[in-house]
């Protein structure tokens, strides 16, 4: 989906949000066995801000544009300039 949350193993996730269409924002929460995983984005005039939350004791590979970021527990924010 547009928020791109995928379970890849026990306490492990792949998150690859897709920005597109006429939407200016999207968010989704997934209740895993380890806690809530959140993925959201907001499209601005010149960039898009992504906010991802990973539950305690978990990790994720987050794909933003052409880059992948490996992160652990907490809330992570990324900004990608629009072409």
């Amino acid at each position: 989906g547009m928020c791109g949350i995928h379970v890849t193993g026990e306490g492990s996730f792949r998150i690859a949000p897709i920005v597109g269409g006429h939407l200016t924002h999207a968010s989704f929460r997934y209740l895993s066995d380890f806690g809530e995983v959140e993925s959201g984005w907001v499209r601005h005039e010149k960039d898009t801000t992504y906010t991802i939350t990973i539950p305690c004791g978990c990790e994720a590979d987050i794909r933003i544009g052409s880059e992948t970021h490996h992160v652990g527990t907490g809330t992570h924010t990324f900004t990608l300039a629009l072409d």
Side-chain angles (χ1 to χ4, degrees), residues 22-59:
H22 297 290
L23 295 177
T24 58
H25 65 278
S27 63
F28 183 76
R29 293 179 181 172
Y30 168 71
L31 184 57
S32 76
D33 291 340
F34 301 93
E36 199 167 77
V37 180
E38 294 183 57
S39 173
W41 54 265
V42 178
R43 185 168 45 190
H44 307 283
E45 185 177 326
K46 295 185 179 186
D47 60 29
T48 301
T49 302
Y50 301 83
T51 305
I52 313 293
T53 301
I54 306 302
C56 186
C58 296
E59 62 184 13

Side-chain angles (χ1 to χ4, degrees), residues 5-14 30 32 37:
I5 298 173
H6 306 276
V7 178
T8 57
E10 187 171 319
S12 181
F13 304 91
R14 183 180 75 246
Y30 168 71
S32 76
V37 180

Side-chain angles (χ1 to χ4, degrees), residues 52-76:
I52 313 293
T53 301
I54 306 302
C56 186
C58 296
E59 62 184 13
D61 288 320
I62 301 172
R63 179 103 174 153
I64 304 294
S66 62
E67 296 184 6
T68 299
H69 307 269
H70 185 79
V71 301
T73 300
T75 298
H76 308 276

